[in-house]
Amino acid sequence: MRLYSFFTFSLIFAVISSLHAQDIERITINYTDTLSMDVFVPTGTDQAKPLLVYVHGGGFSGGTRDSQRNLDFCRYFAERGWITATISYHLTRKGKGFGCDVPIQDKIKTFDMSARNTHQAVKFLLDDKKYQIDPGKIVLAGSSAGAEAVVQAAYWKETKKGILSDDFQYAGVISMAGAVLDIGWISDATAIPTQLFHGTCDPLVPYDMASHHYCKPEKEGFMMLYGAKAISDKLAELNKTYYLVTDCNGGHEWAGKPMGKDYIHLIDDFLTTDVLAGTRRQTKIVLQEGKSTCDLNFDYCN
């Protein structure tokens, strides 16, 4: 009996270990005009696989897709059975800034372009049948500017036109210190599982509802944005799935912290439970790690 138990345990351990130690192939490819992506593909199986696409931050003026952190993030989930890709997109604000003096029309065009580039990357991977992607299990993730790109891509229907079909819908979206332009885009029909990481005192992207960079109304760049709290409140109102991670007095560092070893398990939990298993739940985690100060005050932070 002991031998049987030991053998059974060893077999289970071997299976679990193999799932987390798959051979991974890394491919760097151009997906449209000057834009490229690094794709990580688990090998050794012919089954359709889920896809996770990551969009880097950098204020739409900088940042790179292939930083070591981004590559490590993609490899981590490729080892768990996902095809993953970290993509480039057009840095339309390079050398131009993205502050309160930038006209709102230019800001909206920037959001639109980054969302379209994200869709183009997804379409490229879907069209290439060698990747064997399950079209019903595609998730977008992004940090800061990249988070703004992916939430617009997930919820701004117009950005898909001419790229993906009108009825195409992502299986989930992960926003690390991002915000959406119009909370009205989130409806009973469009809501998808949404994971949100944000600090309440983020000085660049509002945690709740406020103007971009907190610009004053008289400025050309005054543009309302709806951050993690506003998005999760809307999804709660609709009784839809969300996964909110709030850091009281946290700042914009939450654009990158979720990708680190202390928090990446929360993304794994969201992908495994809310996306792949399809569990309908509303998760709210409140952390008290932030060191910033701001005028915002929320009951759960007291």
Side-chain angles (χ1 to χ4, degrees), residues 39-302:
V39 186
F40 292 81
V41 184
T43 59
T45 175
D46 293 328
Q47 295 179 335
K49 304 175 189 69
L51 170 66
L52 176 65
V53 174
Y54 174 74
V55 186
H56 68 81
F60 300 103
S61 63
T64 58
R65 74 174 191 280
D66 55 355
S67 71
Q68 194 59 53
R69 183 186 68 178
N70 300 347
L71 298 176
D72 289 346
F73 178 78
C74 286
R75 182 173 292 277
Y76 177 92
F77 286 106
E79 289 173 349
R80 282 150 179 77
W82 290 74
I83 292 178
T84 60
T86 173
I87 72 168
S88 299
Y89 56 98
H90 289 298
L91 301 177
T92 55
R93 303 312 306 169
K94 189 172 184 178
K96 300 176 182 177
F98 204 47
C100 296
D101 293 327
V102 175
I104 185 173
Q105 295 86 350
D106 292 348
K107 290 185 175 183
I108 292 173
K109 286 178 183 177
T110 293
F111 280 20
D112 176 73
M113 176 61 76
S114 63
R116 289 179 185 275
N117 290 158
T118 303
H119 295 315
Q120 288 170 328
V122 169
K123 186 176 189 305
F124 179 92
L125 292 169
L126 277 174
D127 286 348
D128 194 331
K129 301 306 178 185
K130 75 180 178 185
Y131 293 112
Q132 296 180 295
I133 293 166
D134 184 338
K137 294 179 180 176
I138 300 176
V139 177
L140 303 178
S143 300
S144 190
E148 289 169 339
V150 299
V151 290
Q152 309 325 309
Y155 287 117
W156 189 0
K157 184 178 178 181
E158 294 299 310
T159 62
K160 291 189 299 185
K161 287 199 169 178
I163 305 171
L164 296 168
S165 63
D166 288 343
D167 61 352
F168 178 87
Q169 195 170 48
Y170 290 102
V173 61
I174 302 167
S175 170
M176 307 177 211
V180 70
L181 272 169
D182 188 342
I183 200 70
W185 291 337
I186 303 174
S187 66
D188 190 67
T190 65
I192 60 175
T194 301
Q195 187 173 45
L196 305 143
F197 295 89
H198 220 145
T200 60
C201 293
D202 189 330
L204 299 177
V205 181
Y207 167 69
D208 192 4
M209 178 184 71
S211 64
H212 180 245
H213 286 207
Y214 294 92
C215 299
K216 301 297 183 184
E218 62 271 16
K219 291 289 188 178
E220 274 193 293
F222 178 81
M223 177 179 72
M224 294 302 294
L225 289 178
Y226 301 84
K229 182 180 185 298
I231 294 171
S232 62
D233 284 350
K234 179 69 173 183
L235 290 168
E237 176 188 323
L238 296 168
N239 196 28
K240 299 294 184 177
T241 296
Y242 71 85
Y243 195 124
L244 173 65
V245 181
T246 290
D247 182 17
C248 295
N249 296 109
H252 199 62
E253 67 273 9
W254 282 94
K257 285 180 74 170
M259 301 168 71
K261 62 181 178 63
D262 293 332
Y263 305 99
I264 199 167
H265 68 281
L266 299 178
I267 297 178
D268 205 352
D269 180 35
F270 171 73
L271 292 174
T272 302
T273 306
D274 298 293
V275 176
L276 296 183
T279 304
R280 292 175 61 90
R281 60 178 182 165
Q282 296 179 337
T283 304
K284 186 173 182 179
I285 298 173
V286 178
L287 305 174
Q288 303 280 348
E289 301 176 0
K291 305 299 182 184
S292 302
T293 56
C294 59
D295 294 332
L296 297 177
N297 187 28
F298 302 98
D299 290 342
Y300 43 82
C301 286
N302 295 327

